Structure formats: structure tokens, C-alpha cells
Amino acid sequence: MVAEVSQLLIDIRNKSNINVVKVSDIKLLEEDIKFVTNTSVSFNTLRRLYGFLPKTSFSKKTLDTLSKYLGFNSYSGYLNNRNIYDNWYFKMKLLRIEKDNLDFTESDLKSFYQSLYNNTNVVLISDYIATLISNQNTNVLAPFFSGLEYDKILDSTKVKFAIITTHGFYKLDDKNKINLYKKLIHLNSFRYCIPLYNIDYSYLNGYYYQVLKLIKKLNHDKSEVLFVELMEYLKSFYSKEKNVTKKIKLPAINTKFHPVLMSRYFGYLILNERILTTTLKKDINDYLNKIDPKLFLIEIVPSLIIKEEFEYLDTIFNKYYEEIFTRDRWTADGQGFNFLIGLANVNIFNNNIRAAKINLNLIDLEKVELGYTDYLTLFYNVTWLKIMYLEQNILQQAYYYSEIKRLANKIGFYKFIDIANQYKHL
């Protein structure tokens, strides 16, 4: 019994992405369990379960509720089906399907969905779906995405799933990529789990732009159309296309958008305006008081860097430092690195070069999600170039300038060459 409960607690930790290493984590877990199951497990009970208080025996009701959180009907249902959490068992299942060239059975699909909903075996499932994509196996892909309930999957799980499965598309030429997208793009779970979660800046001037046009053509959802219009603007802006100025309006005021989409919208407003107006600052500040600053600032920070609005960025960091740089759950590292680059630019603005170097040295570009790597690296290299320019380090200036030029030409973001030219060695 003790071993089974211990495994149950490990599975809950994996699903929730809450490490449960401090008492405040218990509170987060309590709220998440209530949200998912509509049933409460008390704060003190959870503290006993995770060893913050002396342990006692636990009621069937508690164990049933925890099992429901994992997607099972009861604790006995969890015990009878928990092998979906066993990586080895799950891999053997996938190998059998692949070896015998089998389609997914209803039982297979159920276990795959449960794994994604519970944040288990995500890499194994994603790898397998990526293989199906590279083989253009729509006979299996279409049923898989048709039954997948994307709103049951954690954001962090969707990011992992999107990054790995997108790799399957990279193995196809552009024509086959687009043909496969055309066959699957109408499926909500496909759109929300792949092209809308792995935003591929590296191919914004290539196949990904064609995918965005397919999404916009569907005209399925206001948030999707808004997202595509904003990405079209970024493509034009960073690629230095003519007639970049574009008026993008938010749809009906009662439409509720994801904080990151709102961040992208305000990032567009910053880039599209000649100066950062008092009114725009007020609107940003109002949103910062209403939603998670960490999510809302993801796309605003790069725009403020581009427009060199470092005084305002300094104000934001000073006010929301804890919320921005503290992460309780797994998120894409690119988000945290994004803020570190912003902080480094603020420190350069304040003539604190030593602090700016420390900020940049905390960044490991290999941990950045693939579709975001080139884009973030351009900001990273530009920031180092500024430092080398101020220190009159001619050799390092030349290195960072050449890297910026190479990468900007590679993905077509020529705006960064213009920025780098301001700090080019003589």
C-alpha cells in the first residue's frame, strides 16, 4: 500500500509540474486538484501525504480524488491501469504497433491521451507522432488528433509535444510539408498542439508563413486570426518589407485572449508606434495589474529592446522582478532567457556592464526551444555587441557583428543588421 501511494504521489507531481519541495507548492497543488476534479483534498492532508506533517492512513475518498486528478475513475482504476506511467511498458507498446504496422486501437488511443493529459511519456508519444508525420501517415494522424482534447493538456506539455512533433515536418521538403498541413490543419487539436504552440521564427520567411496563411484562411477563431495577423506584421517588420505600418485591431472587447497573445499584441503596438506614448504605457500597466506579468511580458520585452525604451523596461523589472524571474513550474527556458536579455540591456543603459555580463552568462542557448533559438540568439548577440562596443573590444565586436549578419541573412530578419550597424567596429 505504501509503495502504491508513493507512486501515486510521483505521478501527481509529474502531471502537475509542481515539484512539491516547499509548503507553498502544496497550496498550488491543492488549487490544481480542486480545479481539475471539482473536489477538495485539504491542505493538511496534502502536507501529510508529501511529508510536511506526520503521515497517517488516508481515506478511500482522498485516494479516489487523487486518482481522478490523474484521469482515472477511482483509486482501484489507477492501480489496474497505472502501467501507462511505466516508460518501458509504454515504449514496448509503441514498438509493437510500429513493428506490426498497426493502426491505433481505441485502447491505444485512450492510453496515449491519458499520458498526454497526465504529463507522462510525453517524449515517447511525441517521437512516435513525429515519425508518423515524417512518413505522412494521415490514416493514423487524423484519428489521433480528432479524438485528442487539447484543452486537457498542460501548456508546458503542449510546448514539448509541439517542438518534438514539428521535427517530423523538418524531414519533409516544403511541398510535402504544406500538403500534410493542408490535410490536418482543420483539426482543432492539431492546430493548437503543433503550429500554434511551436511558433517557428526561423521559418517565418519560409514554410511556417504558408502554414499561418492556411490557419488564417480557415477563419476559425478570432484569437487565431489575430495571432496570424500579428505574426505577419513581425515578418514584415524584421524582414524590412515595404509598407510595414499596419493597423491591427483587437476583436470585440468581450473576447478573452491568452496573456501571451495579448503580449504579442502590445509588442506590435510598441513596434508600430513612432514613440512609446503615455497612453500605451498606461494600457500596459493596467494589464500588468490584471494578469500574470511573466506571461504578459514575453513579447513586450523584445519590442521594448528594439525601440530602446530601457527606462520604461527598467521600471517594469523593478516592480515585477519576483514574478518575472521566479518560475514554479516547467516553462520554456526561452521565456526566462528573454527576460535576462532585457535585464542585460537595462544594465547597459544604466552603465552597469558587469551586471549585464552576468545576466548574459546565465543564458544557455542550447536550452531554448528550436523555433525560438535563432530569434533569441539575434537579441543575445546584439546585446553582447553593445557591450563589446562600449569596451572597445574590436575583435569581439567583429565576431558578434559577423554572427548577427550571418543569422539575420539565414532567417531573413535584416532589421538586426541595421541595429548591428550602429555598433560596427571602425
Side-chain angles (χ1 to χ4, degrees):
M1 178 71 174
V2 173
E4 285 87 350
V5 172
S6 296
Q7 186 58 50
L8 176 72
L9 298 179
I10 292 169
D11 294 338
I12 288 170
R13 188 170 59 194
N14 289 337
K15 173 186 170 68
S16 65
N17 270 327
I18 301 172
N19 288 327
V20 194
V21 293
K22 53 187 185 293
V23 174
S24 60
D25 295 332
I26 296 291
K27 191 64 181 173
L28 288 173
L29 184 58
E30 180 190 13
E31 292 170 358
D32 209 35
I33 290 170
K34 186 173 183 179
F35 175 78
V36 172
T37 67
N38 203 29
T39 308
S40 296
V41 176
S42 75
F43 180 64
N44 284 338
T45 297
L46 289 171
R47 286 204 292 170
R48 289 190 180 93
L49 277 163
Y50 281 96
F52 292 93
L53 291 176
K55 289 187 177 181
T56 60
S57 58
F58 302 105
S59 69
K60 182 179 183 300
K61 181 182 177 182
T62 294
L63 295 175
D64 282 346
T65 300
L66 295 175
S67 300
K68 287 177 182 177
Y69 177 71
L70 293 174
F72 301 96
N73 292 327
S74 63
Y75 182 56
S76 62
Y78 164 76
L79 292 176
N80 291 331
N81 295 282
R82 67 173 187 242
N83 52 15
I84 71 165
Y85 290 92
D86 186 314
N87 285 349
W88 178 252
Y89 164 84
F90 206 85
K91 183 63 176 177
M92 291 302 101
K93 185 184 187 75
L94 289 173
L95 287 175
R96 286 190 193 96
I97 294 171
E98 189 173 0
K99 174 178 174 290
D100 297 327
N101 197 27
L102 300 173
D103 291 342
F104 293 153
T105 66
E106 188 174 335
S107 175
D108 293 333
L109 284 172
K110 184 178 179 181
S111 65
F112 295 161
Y113 296 157
Q114 287 290 350
S115 289
L116 287 174
Y117 303 154
N118 293 299
N119 193 33
T120 59
N121 302 306
V122 176
V123 173
L124 291 177
I125 294 174
S126 303
D127 274 337
Y128 188 67
I129 298 301
T131 299
L132 293 175
I133 288 171
S134 64
N135 292 333
Q136 304 173 70
N137 193 338
T138 53
N139 290 334
V140 179
L141 289 168
F144 174 84
F145 284 105
S146 294
L148 182 63
E149 298 179 66
Y150 65 88
D151 54 342
K152 288 186 177 180
I153 307 174
L154 290 171
D155 281 354
S156 57
T157 303
K158 285 180 195 165
V159 172
K160 295 175 186 177
F161 182 77
I163 291 170
I164 297 171
T165 53
T166 298
H167 196 72
F169 284 102
Y170 292 156
K171 296 180 181 180
L172 303 174
D173 61 35
D174 282 356
K175 182 179 178 181
N176 284 324
K177 278 191 189 84
I178 299 305
N179 284 338
L180 186 54
Y181 270 107
K182 284 179 178 178
K183 292 176 182 178
L184 299 172
I185 203 75
H186 66 283
L187 299 170
N188 291 350
S189 287
F190 174 79
R191 287 198 312 283
Y192 279 100
C193 288
I194 299 186
L196 292 173
Y197 254 84
N198 185 40
I199 300 170
D200 208 337
Y201 284 92
S202 297
Y203 292 93
L204 192 53
N205 278 300
Y207 91 93
Y208 187 63
Y209 181 60
Q210 301 304 315
V211 173
L212 292 175
K213 289 201 293 186
L214 291 175
I215 295 172
K216 188 176 182 180
K217 188 176 180 180
L218 284 175
N219 197 24
H220 176 78
D221 181 89
K222 291 178 181 178
S223 64
E224 292 181 27
V225 174
L226 176 61
F227 167 75
V228 173
E229 288 181 344
L230 293 171
M231 292 306 297
E232 286 174 335
Y233 174 82
L234 284 180
K235 174 185 180 296
S236 298
F237 180 86
Y238 284 116
S239 303
K240 293 185 62 185
E241 296 174 4
K242 293 180 179 178
N243 301 319
V244 172
T245 303
K246 180 179 180 182
K247 190 67 175 176
I248 301 175
K249 292 184 178 181
L250 282 177
I253 195 70
N254 60 348
T255 305
K256 188 175 182 180
F257 296 114
H258 192 283
V260 177
L261 183 56
M262 290 304 300
S263 174
R264 197 176 299 280
Y265 176 72
F266 276 98
Y268 144 75
L269 291 177
I270 292 166
L271 293 176
N272 203 47
E273 297 292 336
R274 189 173 60 84
I275 59 171
L276 186 62
T277 63
T278 303
T279 301
L280 184 50
K281 286 182 185 178
K282 182 183 181 303
D283 289 343
I284 292 171
N285 293 338
D286 287 344
Y287 269 96
L288 282 168
N289 291 326
K290 291 187 290 188
I291 56 181
D292 183 355
K294 185 168 53 183
L295 294 176
F296 181 59
L297 290 169
I298 288 172
E299 297 296 335
I300 289 176
V301 168
S303 295
L304 291 173
I305 293 172
I306 292 292
K307 298 294 281 191
E308 298 187 336
E309 291 287 351
F310 302 123
E311 189 171 348
Y312 180 56
L313 189 54
D314 192 12
T315 302
I316 290 174
F317 282 147
N318 282 329
K319 187 171 182 180
Y320 298 100
Y321 186 90
E322 273 193 45
E323 292 93 332
I324 293 169
F325 290 98
T326 301
R327 290 179 294 165
D328 294 311
R329 303 188 184 199
W330 185 92
T331 54
D333 277 308
Q335 296 177 12
F337 295 157
N338 188 0
F339 297 138
L340 284 170
I341 291 171
L343 190 57
N345 277 275
V346 167
N347 281 319
I348 293 170
F349 174 75
N350 290 326
N351 201 29
N352 191 346
I353 304 303
R354 181 175 177 275
K357 287 182 176 180
I358 292 172
N359 300 147
L360 294 176
N361 284 326
L362 290 172
I363 295 171
D364 183 352
L365 292 172
E366 291 187 357
K367 291 183 178 179
V368 179
E369 59 269 38
L370 292 178
Y372 200 56
T373 301
D374 291 337
Y375 179 62
L376 193 75
T377 301
L378 283 166
F379 280 96
Y380 175 84
N381 286 342
V382 164
T383 308
W384 271 118
L385 178 61
K386 291 178 182 178
I387 292 172
M388 296 302 110
Y389 178 81
L390 291 171
E391 292 187 340
Q392 298 183 355
N393 187 328
I394 303 300
L395 287 177
Q396 287 299 301
Q397 277 180 262
Y399 167 76
Y400 284 112
Y401 180 84
S402 64
E403 282 298 293
I404 292 164
K405 191 172 181 180
R406 177 190 65 79
L407 198 50
N409 282 319
K410 173 190 168 188
I411 67 174
F413 281 17
Y414 308 114
K415 178 71 175 177
F416 286 93
I417 297 177
D418 285 352
I419 296 171
N421 283 336
Q422 301 174 50
Y423 305 96
K424 187 178 180 181
H425 64 276
L426 299 176

